[in-house]
Amino acid sequence: MALLTAVAAHAPDSDVGLYRTVRLIRRFEERAVELVRSGDIIGGIHPYTGQEAVAAGVCAALRVDDMITSTHRGHGHVLAKGADPARTLAELAGRATGLNRGRGGSMHAADFGSGILGANAIVGANGAITAGAAWAARQDGGDQVAVSFFGDGAVNQGVLLEAMNLAALWRLPTLFVCENNGYATTLTVADAVAGTITGRGEAFGMPSVTVDGMDPRAVLDAAREAVDRARAGGGPSLVECLTYRFDAHHTWEHKARVRYRDDDEVRSGRERDPVEIQGARLTGDERTSVDAEVEAVVDAAVAFALDSPHPDPVGALDHLYATGMRARPGGGG
């Protein structure tokens, strides 16, 4: 117990803290994939494996009351921002003890208490939510910062560009984080994006940088500068994180065997592993301690999820209306 307490005491932006986050996300995702294969998670997931440095670095620059919006590949962001791993995994498994009582699943996890306004399966859609949340926080007199995570496949979506325009025009305390893993599902960036991703942000007059998205410390440094600027009233920034997805776009690919990346590319992409990059900054004892703690946390999360009940079908229509109204049975044509 003393060992676990000592590990957890490290700040998220310390070298030990960053390693703990990337290691937690990695093991959580690996175990989640196992639960997909066993049938305990129905419908599959979009694994975040390989991109852990982005979530760890950005969220380490945030306060508890800062806000994030996420994507269909959102488990890493949710965990890095502080959501309970056990309740997060229960949500993926559709259990009543999940973050959203099993109703959100893999692509729609939210935890307002941790500043997680929700993952979103609609590509690019969370940008507008981020801008709105930042505007509302400022109107309330707060100094919270709102972060939008999105992939390279979202940079040509109109709603995201409109959100960037409003954020820049109104100098909202926002940070736009592009996780450029090179592919929008199977479509390469070169085949989809004219110009540059940072050029999108620059067009709206916001500081825009490209960083090594495989190095948690590099991401943290860029995010901290942008977050500090936003909190001080300097307006939004865009950070493009060059990263690589180690696993499938979706676990469906494990069966379908879709071929759009050759083995040499994947092997090369895996050579710079965020877990190993950050782990090299720790002593052997520190790394062993973190690994043991994370393994215990993830084991407990799996046990909690599998032991939790499924939602009662009787309540299938609960939470659909803010007033508590229930839907009426449909009438015939």
Side-chain angles (χ1 to χ4, degrees), residues 188-240:
T188 67
V189 171
D191 291 331
V193 179
T196 65
I197 290 175
T198 51
R200 269 56 170 181
E202 292 166 352
F204 298 115
M206 67 176 71
S208 304
V209 298
T210 300
V211 300
D212 180 1
M214 305 302 277
D215 184 341
R217 178 59 62 182
V219 176
L220 171 59
D221 290 344
R224 177 176 284 148
E225 181 178 349
V227 167
D228 289 347
R229 180 189 303 114
R231 204 181 306 282
S237 303
L238 185 151
V239 176
E240 177 191 16

Side-chain angles (χ1 to χ4, degrees), residues 228-251:
D228 289 347
R229 180 189 303 114
R231 204 181 306 282
S237 303
L238 185 151
V239 176
E240 177 191 16
C241 301
L242 299 181
T243 186
Y244 195 76
R245 169 169 50 80
F246 289 0
D247 206 333
H249 167 72
H250 187 274
T251 48

